[in-house]
Amino acid sequence: MQTFFRKQIMLPQDHGSWVFLLSPLIIGLITGRTFSWTSLALTVAALFSFLLRQPVTMAVKAYSGRRPRTDLPAASLWIAIYGLILLIAVGKLVIDGFGFVLWLAAPGLPIFSWHLWLVSRREERRQAGVEILATGVLALSAPAALWIGIGHYDSNGWWLWLLTWLQSSASIVYAYLRLEQREQASAWSRRESWKKGRRALIYTSFNLFFTLVLSWIGWLPRFVFLAFLIQWVETLWGITHPAAGWKPVRIGTRQLIVSCLWTILFIVFWKV
């Protein structure tokens, strides 16, 4: 019986990815103002869609020879459990008249298929492009939660989606920089550190000035750009203070703290 309850089959092992699910979902739920049974159904659907990825990935690994075939019964069990709960939550959304939000899941199907194809070829690691696209799908929970909370479609949901996706994309690029620094930064000069950090700085600088301009012209709440300031400052600090010798957990913890602060500030300034 113990073989059915192994964490590597039941739960995602890339722990940092949880924030990319929860941050946009929490933002959407809070900006939607009202939490209902339908909101709970959306939360359950988002959570179990996310959880379903792990046993499906393990099953693909087993079929492609990367894992023993003895993993298949456990993977199949958790696919069935997560899938059943997901179907119940989706049914609740449809019954309550919010079946249209299910269209937001459509982009996730080809991206997940691409991920599984990479898994079958042992090429899923260090695929920043796939990860950025995947966080764009996860960010769609923000408009879905907003629309359910207010009871109808609102174009502001797309702003929530875009801004949460921009933030998560910058986080991924910055995380890759920190991991590269961990392995090589001890041999970098100051000039080399700035050169290596250029992409991360471009991402966070774009996010900051994009939201600053849109806030200034009145398309976004006046102070929402300040949420992106913390990520921009963190990137500058990370470039000038390389993570040479850091353990991955230390890098991940700092990233989590920054993302949590960003989420809190975004909610506060969006509602001001």
Coordinates of all heavy atoms in Angstrom, one line a residue, residues 14-27 46 50 53 128 130-142 161 164-176 231 252 255-256 258-260 262-263:
D14 N 8.9 20.2 -8.1 CA 9.5 21.5 -8.3 C 8.7 22.5 -7.4 O 7.7 23.1 -7.9 CB 9.4 21.9 -9.8 CG 8.1 21.6 -10.4 OD1 7.3 20.8 -9.9 OD2 7.8 22.2 -11.5
H15 N 9.1 22.5 -6.2 CA 8.3 23.2 -5.2 C 8.1 24.7 -5.5 O 7.1 25.3 -5.1 CB 8.9 23.1 -3.8 CG 9.1 21.6 -3.4 ND1 8.1 20.8 -3.2 CD2 10.2 20.9 -3.2 CE1 8.5 19.6 -2.9 NE2 9.9 19.6 -2.9
G16 N 9.0 25.3 -6.2 CA 8.9 26.7 -6.5 C 7.8 27.1 -7.4 O 7.3 28.2 -7.5
S17 N 7.2 26.0 -8.2 CA 6.2 26.3 -9.1 C 4.8 26.6 -8.4 O 3.9 27.1 -9.1 CB 6.0 25.1 -10.1 OG 5.7 23.9 -9.3
W18 N 4.7 26.2 -7.2 CA 3.4 26.5 -6.5 C 3.1 28.0 -6.5 O 1.9 28.3 -6.6 CB 3.5 26.0 -5.0 CG 3.4 24.5 -4.9 CD1 4.4 23.6 -4.8 CD2 2.1 23.8 -4.9 NE1 3.8 22.3 -4.7 CE2 2.5 22.4 -4.7 CE3 0.8 24.1 -4.9 CZ2 1.5 21.4 -4.7 CZ3 -0.2 23.1 -4.8 CH2 0.2 21.8 -4.7
V19 N 4.1 28.8 -6.3 CA 3.8 30.3 -6.3 C 3.2 30.8 -7.6 O 2.4 31.7 -7.6 CB 5.0 31.1 -5.9 CG1 6.0 31.1 -7.0 CG2 4.7 32.5 -5.5
F20 N 3.6 30.1 -8.7 CA 3.0 30.5 -10.0 C 1.6 30.1 -10.2 O 0.8 30.7 -11.0 CB 3.8 29.9 -11.1 CG 5.3 30.4 -11.1 CD1 6.3 29.4 -11.2 CD2 5.6 31.7 -11.0 CE1 7.6 29.8 -11.2 CE2 7.0 32.1 -10.9 CZ 8.0 31.2 -11.0
L21 N 1.1 29.2 -9.4 CA -0.3 28.8 -9.4 C -1.1 29.7 -8.4 O -2.1 30.3 -8.7 CB -0.5 27.3 -9.0 CG -1.9 26.9 -8.6 CD1 -2.8 26.9 -9.8 CD2 -1.9 25.6 -7.9
L22 N -0.5 29.8 -7.2 CA -1.3 30.4 -6.1 C -1.3 31.9 -6.2 O -2.3 32.6 -5.8 CB -0.7 30.0 -4.7 CG -0.8 28.5 -4.4 CD1 -0.1 28.2 -3.1 CD2 -2.2 28.1 -4.4
S23 N -0.2 32.6 -6.6 CA -0.2 34.0 -6.7 C -1.3 34.6 -7.6 O -2.1 35.4 -7.1 CB 1.1 34.5 -7.2 OG 1.2 35.9 -7.3
P24 N -1.5 34.2 -8.9 CA -2.6 34.7 -9.7 C -3.9 34.3 -9.2 O -4.9 35.1 -9.2 CB -2.3 34.2 -11.1 CG -1.3 33.1 -10.9 CD -0.6 33.4 -9.7
L25 N -4.0 33.1 -8.6 CA -5.3 32.7 -8.1 C -5.8 33.5 -6.9 O -6.9 34.0 -6.9 CB -5.2 31.2 -7.7 CG -6.5 30.5 -7.2 CD1 -7.6 30.6 -8.2 CD2 -6.3 29.1 -6.7
I26 N -4.9 33.8 -6.0 CA -5.2 34.6 -4.8 C -5.5 36.0 -5.3 O -6.5 36.6 -4.8 CB -4.0 34.6 -3.8 CG1 -3.9 33.2 -3.2 CG2 -4.2 35.7 -2.8 CD1 -2.7 33.0 -2.4
I27 N -4.8 36.6 -6.2 CA -5.0 37.9 -6.7 C -6.4 38.0 -7.3 O -7.2 38.9 -7.0 CB -4.0 38.3 -7.7 CG1 -2.7 38.6 -7.0 CG2 -4.4 39.5 -8.6 CD1 -1.5 38.9 -8.0
A46 N -8.4 24.4 -10.3 CA -7.0 24.9 -10.6 C -6.0 24.1 -9.9 O -5.0 23.7 -10.4 CB -6.9 26.4 -10.2
F50 N -3.3 21.3 -11.5 CA -1.9 21.4 -11.3 C -1.3 20.1 -10.7 O -0.2 19.7 -11.1 CB -1.7 22.6 -10.3 CG -0.2 22.9 -9.9 CD1 0.6 23.5 -10.8 CD2 0.3 22.5 -8.7 CE1 1.9 23.8 -10.5 CE2 1.6 22.8 -8.4 CZ 2.4 23.4 -9.3
R53 N -0.6 17.0 -13.1 CA 0.6 17.0 -14.0 C 1.6 16.0 -13.5 O 2.3 15.4 -14.3 CB 1.2 18.4 -13.9 CG 2.5 18.6 -14.7 CD 2.9 20.1 -14.7 NE 3.2 20.5 -13.4 CZ 4.5 20.7 -12.9 NH1 5.5 20.4 -13.7 NH2 4.7 21.2 -11.7
A128 N 13.4 27.1 -20.2 CA 12.8 28.4 -19.7 C 11.6 28.8 -20.5 O 10.6 29.3 -20.0 CB 13.9 29.5 -19.7
V130 N 9.4 27.0 -22.2 CA 8.2 26.2 -21.9 C 7.7 26.6 -20.5 O 6.5 26.7 -20.3 CB 8.6 24.7 -21.8 CG1 7.3 23.9 -21.5 CG2 9.1 24.2 -23.2
E131 N 8.6 26.9 -19.6 CA 8.1 27.3 -18.2 C 7.4 28.6 -18.3 O 6.4 28.8 -17.6 CB 9.3 27.3 -17.3 CG 10.0 26.0 -17.0 CD 11.2 26.1 -16.1 OE1 11.3 27.1 -15.4 OE2 12.1 25.2 -16.2
I132 N 7.9 29.6 -19.1 CA 7.3 30.9 -19.2 C 5.9 30.7 -19.8 O 4.9 31.3 -19.3 CB 8.2 31.8 -20.0 CG1 9.4 32.2 -19.2 CG2 7.4 33.1 -20.4 CD1 10.4 33.0 -20.0
L133 N 5.8 29.9 -20.8 CA 4.5 29.7 -21.4 C 3.5 29.0 -20.4 O 2.3 29.3 -20.3 CB 4.6 28.8 -22.7 CG 5.3 29.5 -23.9 CD1 5.4 28.5 -25.0 CD2 4.4 30.7 -24.4
A134 N 4.0 28.1 -19.6 CA 3.2 27.4 -18.7 C 2.7 28.3 -17.6 O 1.5 28.2 -17.2 CB 4.0 26.2 -18.0
T135 N 3.6 29.3 -17.1 CA 3.1 30.2 -16.1 C 2.0 31.2 -16.7 O 1.2 31.7 -16.0 CB 4.3 31.0 -15.6 OG1 4.9 31.7 -16.6 CG2 5.2 30.1 -14.8
G136 N 2.1 31.4 -18.0 CA 1.1 32.2 -18.7 C -0.3 31.5 -18.6 O -1.3 32.1 -18.4
V137 N -0.3 30.2 -18.7 CA -1.5 29.4 -18.5 C -2.0 29.4 -17.1 O -3.2 29.7 -16.8 CB -1.3 27.9 -19.0 CG1 -2.5 27.1 -18.6 CG2 -1.0 27.9 -20.4
L138 N -1.1 29.3 -16.1 CA -1.5 29.3 -14.7 C -2.0 30.7 -14.3 O -2.9 30.8 -13.5 CB -0.2 29.0 -13.8 CG 0.3 27.6 -13.9 CD1 1.5 27.4 -13.1 CD2 -0.8 26.5 -13.5
A139 N -1.5 31.7 -15.0 CA -1.9 33.1 -14.7 C -3.4 33.3 -15.1 O -4.0 34.3 -14.7 CB -1.0 34.1 -15.3
L140 N -3.9 32.5 -16.0 CA -5.3 32.6 -16.4 C -6.3 32.4 -15.3 O -7.5 32.7 -15.4 CB -5.6 31.7 -17.6 CG -4.9 32.1 -18.9 CD1 -5.0 31.0 -19.9 CD2 -5.6 33.4 -19.5
S141 N -5.8 31.8 -14.2 CA -6.7 31.7 -13.0 C -7.1 33.0 -12.4 O -8.2 33.1 -11.8 CB -6.1 30.8 -12.0 OG -4.9 31.4 -11.4
A142 N -6.3 34.0 -12.7 CA -6.6 35.4 -12.1 C -7.9 35.9 -12.7 O -8.8 36.3 -12.0 CB -5.4 36.3 -12.3
W161 N -4.3 39.0 -15.8 CA -3.6 37.9 -16.4 C -2.2 38.4 -16.9 O -1.2 37.7 -16.6 CB -4.4 37.3 -17.6 CG -3.6 36.4 -18.5 CD1 -3.1 35.2 -18.2 CD2 -3.1 36.7 -19.8 NE1 -2.4 34.7 -19.2 CE2 -2.4 35.6 -20.2 CE3 -3.3 37.8 -20.6 CZ2 -1.8 35.6 -21.5 CZ3 -2.7 37.8 -21.9 CH2 -2.0 36.7 -22.3
T164 N 0.3 39.4 -14.0 CA 0.8 38.3 -13.2 C 1.7 37.4 -14.1 O 2.7 36.9 -13.6 CB -0.3 37.4 -12.7 OG1 -1.2 37.0 -13.7 CG2 -1.1 38.2 -11.6
W165 N 1.4 37.3 -15.4 CA 2.3 36.6 -16.3 C 3.7 37.3 -16.4 O 4.7 36.6 -16.4 CB 1.6 36.4 -17.6 CG 2.4 35.4 -18.5 CD1 3.4 34.5 -18.2 CD2 2.2 35.3 -19.9 NE1 3.8 33.9 -19.3 CE2 3.1 34.3 -20.4 CE3 1.4 35.9 -20.9 CZ2 3.2 33.9 -21.7 CZ3 1.5 35.5 -22.2 CH2 2.4 34.5 -22.6
L166 N 3.6 38.6 -16.6 CA 4.9 39.3 -16.7 C 5.8 39.1 -15.5 O 7.0 38.9 -15.6 CB 4.6 40.8 -16.9 CG 4.0 41.2 -18.2 CD1 3.7 42.7 -18.2 CD2 5.0 40.9 -19.4
Q167 N 5.1 39.1 -14.3 CA 5.9 39.0 -13.1 C 6.5 37.6 -13.0 O 7.7 37.4 -12.6 CB 5.0 39.2 -11.8 CG 5.7 39.3 -10.5 CD 5.9 37.9 -9.9 OE1 5.2 37.0 -10.2 NE2 6.9 37.8 -9.0
S168 N 5.7 36.5 -13.3 CA 6.2 35.2 -13.2 C 7.3 34.9 -14.2 O 8.3 34.2 -14.0 CB 5.1 34.2 -13.3 OG 4.4 34.3 -14.6
S169 N 7.1 35.5 -15.4 CA 8.2 35.3 -16.5 C 9.5 35.9 -16.0 O 10.6 35.3 -16.2 CB 7.7 36.0 -17.8 OG 6.5 35.4 -18.3
A170 N 9.5 37.1 -15.4 CA 10.7 37.7 -14.9 C 11.3 36.9 -13.8 O 12.5 36.8 -13.7 CB 10.4 39.1 -14.4
S171 N 10.4 36.3 -13.0 CA 10.9 35.4 -11.9 C 11.7 34.2 -12.4 O 12.7 33.8 -11.8 CB 9.7 35.0 -11.0 OG 9.1 36.1 -10.3
I172 N 11.1 33.6 -13.4 CA 11.8 32.4 -14.0 C 13.2 32.8 -14.6 O 14.2 32.1 -14.3 CB 10.9 31.8 -15.1 CG1 9.7 31.2 -14.4 CG2 11.7 30.8 -15.9 CD1 8.6 30.7 -15.4
V173 N 13.2 33.9 -15.3 CA 14.5 34.3 -15.9 C 15.5 34.6 -14.8 O 16.7 34.3 -14.9 CB 14.3 35.5 -16.9 CG1 15.6 36.1 -17.4 CG2 13.4 35.1 -18.1
Y174 N 15.0 35.3 -13.8 CA 15.9 35.7 -12.7 C 16.4 34.4 -11.9 O 17.6 34.3 -11.5 CB 15.2 36.6 -11.7 CG 16.1 37.1 -10.6 CD1 17.2 37.8 -10.7 CD2 15.7 36.7 -9.3 CE1 18.0 38.2 -9.7 CE2 16.4 37.1 -8.2 CZ 17.6 37.8 -8.4 OH 18.4 38.2 -7.3
A175 N 15.5 33.4 -11.8 CA 15.9 32.2 -11.1 C 17.0 31.5 -11.9 O 17.9 30.9 -11.3 CB 14.7 31.3 -10.9
Y176 N 16.9 31.5 -13.2 CA 17.9 30.8 -14.0 C 19.2 31.5 -13.8 O 20.3 30.9 -13.8 CB 17.5 30.8 -15.4 CG 16.7 29.5 -15.8 CD1 15.3 29.6 -15.8 CD2 17.3 28.3 -16.1 CE1 14.5 28.5 -16.2 CE2 16.5 27.2 -16.4 CZ 15.2 27.3 -16.4 OH 14.4 26.2 -16.7
Q231 N 10.7 43.7 -7.4 CA 11.4 42.7 -8.2 C 12.6 43.3 -9.0 O 13.6 42.7 -9.2 CB 10.3 42.1 -9.2 CG 10.8 40.8 -9.8 CD 9.7 40.2 -10.7 OE1 9.0 41.0 -11.4 NE2 9.7 38.9 -10.8
G252 N 15.7 29.5 -3.8 CA 14.2 29.3 -3.9 C 13.5 30.0 -2.9 O 12.4 30.6 -3.1
Q255 N 13.4 33.7 -3.6 CA 12.5 34.0 -4.7 C 11.0 33.9 -4.2 O 10.2 34.7 -4.6 CB 12.7 32.9 -5.8 CG 13.9 33.1 -6.7 CD 13.6 34.2 -7.7 OE1 13.7 35.4 -7.5 NE2 13.2 33.8 -8.9
L256 N 10.8 33.0 -3.3 CA 9.4 32.9 -2.8 C 9.0 34.1 -2.0 O 7.9 34.6 -2.1 CB 9.3 31.6 -1.9 CG 8.0 31.4 -1.1 CD1 6.9 31.2 -2.2 CD2 8.1 30.2 -0.2
V258 N 10.2 37.2 -2.3 CA 10.0 38.3 -3.2 C 8.6 38.1 -3.9 O 7.9 39.1 -4.1 CB 11.1 38.4 -4.3 CG1 10.8 39.4 -5.4 CG2 12.4 38.7 -3.6
S259 N 8.3 36.9 -4.4 CA 7.0 36.7 -5.0 C 5.8 37.0 -4.1 O 4.8 37.5 -4.5 CB 6.9 35.3 -5.6 OG 7.9 35.1 -6.6
C260 N 6.0 36.6 -2.8 CA 4.9 36.8 -1.8 C 4.7 38.3 -1.6 O 3.6 38.8 -1.5 CB 5.2 36.1 -0.5 SG 5.0 34.3 -0.6
W262 N 5.5 40.7 -3.7 CA 4.9 41.2 -4.9 C 3.4 41.0 -4.9 O 2.6 41.9 -5.2 CB 5.5 40.6 -6.1 CG 4.9 41.1 -7.4 CD1 5.3 42.2 -8.1 CD2 3.8 40.6 -8.1 NE1 4.5 42.4 -9.2 CE2 3.6 41.4 -9.2 CE3 3.0 39.5 -7.9 CZ2 2.5 41.2 -10.1 CZ3 1.9 39.3 -8.8 CH2 1.7 40.1 -9.9
T263 N 3.0 39.8 -4.5 CA 1.5 39.5 -4.5 C 0.8 40.4 -3.6 O -0.3 41.0 -3.9 CB 1.3 38.0 -4.2 OG1 2.0 37.2 -5.1 CG2 -0.2 37.7 -4.2

